[in-house]
Amino acid sequence: MSQRSLRSSAPRLRGSFGPYAAALAVAAAALTATPALAAVPTPPPVSWNGHVDTPTEGPAPTGADEATETTGATEVTEAAENEAEAAAAREYKGRVIARSGLLLRDRPTRSSRVIGTAAYGQIVHIFCKTRGDNVNGNDRWYLLTDGNWAWGSAAYIENIGQAPRWC
């Protein structure tokens, strides 16, 4: 078999998949990360017959110990609520400031395919930012998550709240 036929049988990938791969890795990590579960207390050990092993040494549990266990559950609930608030705070938004509307592209470049538009004044949800083609002196692009995933130049998007994280 010649080298030419070997080369032609391999699938050919076009374009830059780096930003998409990075965004996918970040999304997968966000879905699998569960720091709130780390605060959940471990269950007591169970013996071979299915009964909970209780320590034989030390005093029997009192009402104060039960109150501590309830407080621990409350702390876990509060930790979960704080995590949910932090996740909500990490939602990045922006407002389109391009008078004629914003072209949404399939890559963070000016020459990439246009896959949609966003109207002037529209609020967009931003997943992350990366560097791309320079647009009016700004080389940052935002990965937008409204309906479909598309890139928009940061030169035409005004941040609402904190600046998005890097992809």
Side-chain angles (χ1 to χ4, degrees):
M1 194 178 242
S2 71
Q3 285 185 340
R4 186 172 193 198
S5 63
L6 286 175
R7 268 188 263 136
S8 63
S9 65
R12 197 169 232 191
L13 301 176
R14 298 186 186 273
S16 171
F17 293 102
Y20 292 115
L24 183 60
V26 169
L31 290 175
T32 58
T34 54
L37 292 180
V40 176
T42 58
V46 177
S47 68
W48 63 272
N49 61 2
H51 295 290
V52 175
D53 286 340
T54 56
T56 56
E57 298 176 13
T62 63
D65 292 334
E66 291 173 10
T68 304
E69 290 177 11
T70 305
T71 305
T74 304
E75 290 172 2
V76 170
T77 304
E78 289 174 6
E81 290 174 359
N82 291 342
E83 180 65 26
E85 289 173 9
R90 285 191 296 260
E91 286 185 8
Y92 307 108
K93 294 183 182 180
R95 178 177 288 114
V96 176
I97 58 173
R99 292 280 180 188
S100 59
L102 175 66
L103 297 178
L104 304 177
R105 301 183 178 271
D106 65 347
R107 288 182 297 194
T109 62
R110 296 176 81 178
S111 61
S112 62
R113 186 170 54 99
V114 175
I115 59 174
T117 59
Y120 173 76
Q122 179 179 343
I123 304 297
V124 292
H125 297 274
I126 304 169
F127 184 72
C128 61
K129 65 183 173 184
T130 190
R131 295 194 188 281
D133 282 356
N134 193 321
V135 178
N136 295 339
N138 189 340
D139 68 346
R140 294 198 178 132
W141 288 71
Y142 294 147
L143 181 57
L144 307 178
T145 61
D146 296 317
N148 59 352
W149 292 64
W151 293 95
S153 172
Y156 298 114
I157 300 173
E158 176 183 65
N159 289 335
I160 298 174
Q162 66 186 53
R165 63 184 169 78
W166 290 95
C167 294

